[in-house]
Amino acid sequence: MAADAPVPLLSICGFLGAGKTTLVNRLLATASGRRIVVFVNDFGAINIDLDLVETVTEDRISLKNGCVCCTLNADFLLQVKTLTRQEAPPDAILVEASGVTDPVALDGSLREVEAAGLVTRDASIYMIDAEQVGALDYIDTELLLDHANVCELVLVNKTDLVDAARLTAIEEMLAVSAPYAHVLKTRHADVAFLPLLELAGMGARGQPKLPHRVTPGHDFTSWTFEAPHPVPRERFEALARLMSSQCLRAKGFVIFADAPEEPRLFNMVGKRATLEPVSQSVTGGCRLVALGLKTRVDPESLARVMREV
Amino acid sequence: MSTTIFHNGSILTMEDGDAPEAVAIDGGYICAVGALGDVRAVCPDAVEVDLKGRALLPGFIDAHSHPLWAAKTRGAPVVDIRAETVPTYAAIVARIKRRVAAAAPGEHLIFFGLDPTLHPDMENPTRAFLDTLAPDNPIGIQTSNCHALFLNSAGFAACGIDETTPTPTGSIVERDETGRPTGRIAEAITWTALETFYEAWGEDRLAEEFQAQIAAFLRNGITTVTEHLYMPFYKASYRAALRQGLPMPRMAAYQQATAPDMAVEKIADPDDRFWMAGVKIHADGSVFIGNIWVTEPYLDTRITRERMNLKPGHVGGPNYPQAFFETMLRQYFAQGWQMTVHTQGDRTIDMVLDVLEQILAETPRDDHRFRLEHCALMRADQIERARRLGVLCSFFINHITHWGAPIEDALFGPDRAAHYMPVGSAVAAGMRVSLHADTPMTDASALELVQVATARLTKTGRCIGPTERIDVETALRSVTIDAAYQIRMEDRLGSIRPGKRADLVILEDNPLTAAPDRLRDIPVVATYLDGMLVHGG
């Protein structure tokens, strides 16, 4: 059963030069034992320490740490099929789309892969080159904002190349025009990415099992929430609404007071949230792990709503 | 065109009987259906298409759409401000400012998609406010339901609407005490005003966007559409597309009537590519701006009060005075046209059925196939009455996905939401229903219609009206053979039967056995129109 469960799939979009490849390189170097498969457009840009490389073929680089780097091409669906059906499927799949890819269109093709039951869509990340933004014309500015609006995590990268006033202007533009995106400032795509992956992988395969908390790193904050008894549905919905505005991701079990026999798995990625029935027995009332950007989360308001639950 | 045989897949004919093994088409018609050996025997030199386990269905039919109007309304340079693209009103204002800053002097600008139920901080933009945003360019902000438009002073001037302009019967022009328009106009005058903008953008733009629209229908396996707000000057675009040999879906036109003395164009086509099918009247307006006519008032909520500007106890009204509507209906019905009447509120439906019952009592007509369009708040007793009168319903089921949550929470409450777009009740009553996306209001996709009608889930996964769900097979009929029946083409379109037009679609998976929550994602592998491959391969 375990091997059949879908693998979490994350996507990275952004204009050419935004820093996507840097992010991928960083990720591969810091996978910490997680087996991540990355689909990239351009092999040439991937900069992997030769000592780490195990095998290289025309369209695949396998690393000694278990990660794999593939080229993104027409065989994407087939490759995902092969990867996810192998004996030890990867912990996560990451798709780095080319600079011109519209995340909305990408979302459509990723939905097809998801429809095949191979993967489950996880966070979508959008990268912006802080230096480039100011030079964009009207059409590209609108395109960038449309893209940012459909992604959960927006990285404003290369902040070291612009002055404070310019950076504030970018942040203000995003706050008004992409109000639901979680924005993080980075210099060289230096985001401690791991918590996002940890949470993505959580419960994805086999029996859902939640670690006590994820490693938040310097950009994120993470916390757990537990209620000993079944919770009123409307209170939980209030909490979910608040979390969807403040947190990037939340996952866990919940038992509603009006349906104590039907425990649910709550899974929130950005604004999308699902409540699925779980087969195994769950005791208590509610147990959640949530993750958000330090800059976005207001621990006090969350704590207040949690107390009410 | 050589004979082609399709085999080795699931063939859903939409006819009674077992699924056949093979289908052959020749010269734009289906020529044989049956066991592979038999079909091969009658078509010995055919090219064979191995379906490799995929599904073959008749091409889909969208019974209520607006392809050319969609090209005008949604295509560039119209700026998309729908909530799924621009999530808040503050973001819309910022986008308008950026667009105006980039505009050429005097350039006409339209922004499409303002939505009182989906833009949480929405305000009604006044003429004065829009003048501050755009002092020199004519600009218009159109609501996502298409029925209302907000204009600035330059916009009013460009459209020739001022204090001296009378408000046409059936339309709304909001004015101050001196009669000066204050920004918002609604219904038919909206669509004529918008033509000023479309004309300013020129014919080339329209041709290009029209091509993109018809390609989108074909990409979704839709081989027959209706132009449900046809105006005589639309003809040039269809004729041009056909003359250029563009793969245009079959087009059934329903001419828009706003007065009783309109000449309905008689357009017939031996090839069934473009014809005049009937006359459309808007008996009421949009659920989302409040100009529909209901028995039980709208809920009194922040959305209805602040964003829709409705007073507590609001029950709306019909678009036209009842007598005026009756005169129109009698006129075009007497000319023998099939009638399609836009009705959302239950009181509007009462009014329409009252008039129709009287007309039928005076001048009985069999097989009139009188249609009610959208039917959001149709009551159970009205479904029974409609069936008795031979009236057919075409449901705008996508309301559930896009606006289901605010419909239940903010507009009508759980009891009315439970039977909103009552497709299940109509099917149970024995009616042959159709479903539609009303493109440009929502994007064209027959499989999406099927999924929404069978699951009735909002975007966030809430089920609205579980008892009104229908099974996948019935839903498929409603976008094929039953939709063909509703446009009076069931003898030529909508199913796989020898002698019918060779309009076919190949789907990656069989919708009858695919995961019910993934129907909309089933890839459309190929679309055949009149025997020609027009999408995929």
Side-chain angles (χ1 to χ4, degrees):
Chain A
M1 271 314 283
D4 292 340
V7 175
L9 184 150
L10 296 84
S11 61
I12 303 176
C13 290
F15 287 173
L16 204 64
K20 301 185 295 293
T21 309
T22 312
L23 183 63
V24 168
N25 282 331
R26 193 175 285 279
L27 186 73
L28 287 174
T30 57
S32 302
R34 275 173 190 75
R35 297 185 56 255
I36 300 163
V37 175
V38 188
F39 284 87
V40 296
N41 274 287
D42 178 13
F43 254 8
I46 295 296
N47 174 20
I48 298 165
D49 188 339
L50 277 179
D51 291 342
L52 296 175
V53 174
E54 196 166 76
T55 58
V56 179
T57 65
E58 196 183 331
D59 57 2
R60 181 175 291 203
I61 304 173
S62 301
L63 307 188
K64 286 178 182 150
N65 66 5
C67 294
V68 179
C69 197
C70 307
T71 47
L72 189 59
N73 55 34
D75 291 338
F76 177 59
L77 185 62
L78 191 70
Q79 292 200 63
V80 172
K81 265 184 192 158
T82 315
L83 285 163
T84 53
R85 284 178 183 166
Q86 66 194 9
E87 208 156 298
D91 292 303
I93 294 175
L94 193 82
V95 175
E96 184 227 316
S98 85
V100 293
T101 305
D102 173 357
V104 182
L106 177 68
D107 197 59
S109 42
L110 295 182
R111 273 219 319 255
E112 276 183 26
V113 188
E114 192 174 44
L118 304 171
V119 300
T120 168
R121 292 296 315 285
D122 208 278
S124 51
I125 298 150
Y126 193 70
M127 296 193 74
I128 293 173
D129 176 347
E131 197 185 22
Q132 188 189 47
V133 179
L136 296 177
D137 63 9
Y138 163 76
I139 289 175
D140 282 341
T141 305
E142 301 310 306
L143 200 60
L144 179 138
L145 289 170
D146 283 350
H147 292 178
N149 257 316
V150 294
C151 295
E152 277 105 29
L153 178 60
V154 173
L155 303 184
V156 179
N157 195 29
K158 306 190 185 178
T159 52
D160 51 325
L161 300 184
V162 292
D163 60 26
R166 189 62 225 137
L167 193 56
T168 307
I170 295 171
E171 287 183 280
E172 281 173 0
M173 178 173 77
L174 288 171
V176 171
S177 292
Y180 301 132
H182 297 246
V183 180
L184 181 65
K185 289 176 281 185
T186 58
R187 283 162 179 252
H188 307 284
D190 48 349
V191 52
F193 204 70
L194 215 50
L196 212 56
L197 280 175
E198 278 184 23
L199 207 53
M202 220 186 265
R205 289 191 287 113
Q207 292 300 336
K209 187 165 163 286
L210 300 179
H212 204 65
R213 59 168 52 234
V214 292
T215 330
H218 59 76
D219 300 316
F220 298 91
T221 175
S222 150
W223 66 96
T224 54
F225 166 70
E226 285 185 66
H229 305 295
V231 299
R233 199 177 286 263
E234 67 281 4
R235 292 278 165 79
F236 182 80
E237 281 169 3
L239 174 63
R241 268 197 301 278
L242 194 65
M243 285 196 303
S244 78
S245 68
Q246 296 195 7
C247 311
L248 272 166
R249 213 157 177 335
K251 194 162 194 168
F253 300 108
V254 57
I255 299 175
F256 291 117
D258 57 58
E261 304 303 317
E262 297 165 24
R264 303 276 159 168
L265 176 67
F266 175 73
N267 195 354
M268 186 193 90
V269 180
K271 291 188 293 295
R272 292 172 284 148
T274 54
L275 269 174
E276 289 162 35
V278 279
S279 48
Q280 91 254 46
S281 72
V282 176
T283 52
C286 181
R287 203 162 107 72
L288 292 181
V289 183
L291 179 78
L293 290 177
K294 277 181 182 163
T295 49
R296 181 100 180 176
V297 170
D298 171 23
E300 272 177 36
S301 66
L302 272 173
R304 198 165 52 243
V305 175
M306 283 177 181
R307 272 197 302 277
E308 285 168 9
V309 175
Chain B
M1 209 182 318
S2 60
T3 311
T4 307
I5 295 177
F6 301 88
H7 66 94
N8 191 28
S10 311
I11 298 175
L12 281 62
T13 62
M14 300 296 136
E15 293 278 337
D16 293 338
D18 294 338
E21 278 179 350
V23 172
I25 60 171
D26 183 35
Y29 290 91
I30 296 166
C31 61
V33 178
L36 180 56
D38 297 345
V39 171
R40 276 180 177 152
V42 291
C43 309
D45 301 318
V47 176
E48 298 202 354
V49 174
D50 183 346
L51 295 169
K52 295 182 179 155
R54 298 188 178 100
L56 181 75
L57 285 83
F60 296 125
I61 299 173
D62 195 325
H64 184 122
S65 46
H66 312 265
L68 184 64
W69 196 44
K72 293 171 179 241
T73 310
R74 293 272 295 274
V78 173
V79 181
D80 181 8
I81 53 165
R82 290 171 306 146
E84 61 198 67
T85 316
V86 184
T88 60
Y89 182 68
I92 290 175
V93 172
R95 174 158 286 189
I96 294 172
K97 284 180 181 164
R98 290 191 300 268
R99 181 65 188 89
V100 170
E107 187 180 353
H108 291 59
L109 306 175
I110 289 290
F111 301 81
F112 176 86
L114 183 64
D115 194 319
T117 59
L118 300 181
H119 286 121
D121 52 343
M122 188 254 189
E123 289 169 28
N124 285 279
T126 61
R127 173 178 185 158
F129 175 64
L130 292 177
D131 283 347
T132 65
L133 294 186
D136 304 318
N137 294 82
I139 75 165
I141 321 288
Q142 192 176 9
T143 53
S144 63
N145 51 61
C146 304
H147 285 248
L149 182 71
F150 299 87
L151 291 167
N152 68 346
S153 292
F156 277 112
C159 299
I161 302 171
D162 61 25
E163 36 277 67
T164 66
T165 314
T167 304
T169 308
S171 290
I172 297 167
V173 177
E174 290 184 358
R175 301 169 190 268
D176 63 15
E177 58 280 2
T178 68
R180 184 174 183 265
T182 50
R184 183 172 174 273
I185 62 174
E187 295 307 311
I189 192 170
T190 299
W191 305 316
T192 30
L194 283 164
E195 288 296 333
T196 307
F197 289 79
Y198 306 148
E199 274 166 30
W201 295 335
E203 285 300 312
D204 289 350
R205 167 262 172 187
L206 183 59
E208 207 169 296
E209 294 302 328
F210 184 48
Q211 208 167 324
Q213 278 296 332
I214 60 182
F217 280 99
L218 295 172
R219 211 163 50 234
N220 282 285
I222 299 167
T223 50
T224 301
V225 293
T226 65
E227 186 74 53
H228 240 93
L229 228 158
Y230 176 88
M231 297 190 237
F233 57 90
Y234 279 23
K235 188 168 50 215
S237 292
Y238 307 132
R239 292 259 194 252
L242 288 172
R243 204 171 43 242
Q244 291 164 29
L246 291 179
M248 182 179 87
R250 300 180 194 282
M251 191 83 67
Y254 288 84
Q255 188 165 328
Q256 186 199 14
T258 54
D261 55 353
M262 166 187 86
V264 184
E265 299 201 342
K266 293 188 176 58
I267 305 167
D269 178 5
D271 299 327
D272 296 331
R273 296 302 297 273
F274 168 45
W275 66 98
M276 184 57 67
V279 173
K280 182 198 186 183
I281 305 177
H282 279 88
D284 64 7
S286 166
V287 167
F288 307 109
I289 62 178
N291 61 338
I292 63 167
W293 198 17
V294 287
T295 312
E296 196 187 328
Y298 272 80
L299 298 182
D300 180 22
T301 61
R302 246 196 79 216
I303 286 183
T304 54
R305 224 175 320 128
E306 291 174 20
R307 294 189 226 156
M308 295 169 68
N309 286 334
L310 307 182
K311 293 192 175 63
H314 179 83
V315 292
N319 270 12
Y320 301 95
Q322 194 158 338
F324 190 89
F325 171 77
E326 182 170 344
T327 312
M328 280 201 284
L329 188 58
R330 282 181 178 277
Q331 180 71 15
Y332 302 113
F333 190 84
Q335 290 173 12
W337 293 108
Q338 183 193 12
M339 302 300 302
T340 63
V341 180
H342 171 117
T343 53
Q344 295 282 28
D346 63 329
R347 275 179 89 174
T348 313
I349 295 173
D350 280 335
M351 173 186 86
V352 175
L353 293 180
D354 285 349
V355 175
L356 179 67
E357 188 159 21
Q358 204 177 335
I359 294 175
L360 287 174
E362 294 162 16
T363 53
R365 193 208 296 182
D366 287 339
D367 203 25
H368 50 73
R369 302 197 200 181
F370 190 100
R371 280 173 50 176
L372 297 180
E373 305 300 307
H374 314 322
C375 311
L377 293 157
M378 192 169 190
R379 301 187 311 262
D381 63 296
Q382 293 176 323
I383 289 170
E384 185 46 41
R385 187 180 177 202
R387 195 200 52 77
R388 211 174 58 238
L389 293 171
V391 170
L392 302 165
C393 295
S394 186
F395 292 100
F396 186 1
I397 194 68
N398 284 359
H399 268 216
I400 300 289
T401 329
H402 292 262
W403 298 278
I407 281 164
E408 176 163 314
D409 302 339
L411 304 188
F412 302 114
D415 292 347
R416 279 183 284 178
H419 299 285
Y420 191 89
M421 302 286 173
V423 189
S425 299
V427 169
M431 188 187 288
R432 295 180 79 171
V433 304
S434 70
L435 304 171
H436 59 255
D438 202 10
T439 310
M441 229 184 120
T442 66
D443 294 337
S445 160
L447 287 170
E448 169 136 40
L449 298 174
V450 171
Q451 175 161 346
V452 181
T454 52
R456 293 182 65 101
L457 293 179
T458 67
K459 275 187 178 162
T460 55
R462 192 197 310 181
C463 183
I464 304 285
T467 63
E468 296 293 350
R469 288 178 295 193
I470 57 173
D471 60 73
V472 176
E473 198 169 344
T474 308
L476 285 172
R477 290 179 61 88
S478 73
V479 292
T480 54
I481 187 64
D482 289 352
Y485 178 78
Q486 288 205 354
I487 60 167
R488 309 189 76 103
M489 291 294 272
E490 76 280 8
D491 56 338
R492 279 173 263 183
L493 307 173
S495 71
I496 298 178
R497 198 178 73 194
K500 284 203 169 185
R501 297 279 185 190
D503 295 353
L504 301 168
V505 58
I506 299 175
L507 303 178
E508 184 66 36
D509 300 307
N510 179 349
L512 293 176
T513 52
D517 58 337
R518 300 283 190 206
L519 298 178
R520 68 159 66 90
D521 297 325
I522 297 176
V524 176
V525 178
T527 308
Y528 290 82
L529 171 65
D530 220 31
M532 306 280 286
L533 182 68
V534 290
H535 156 72

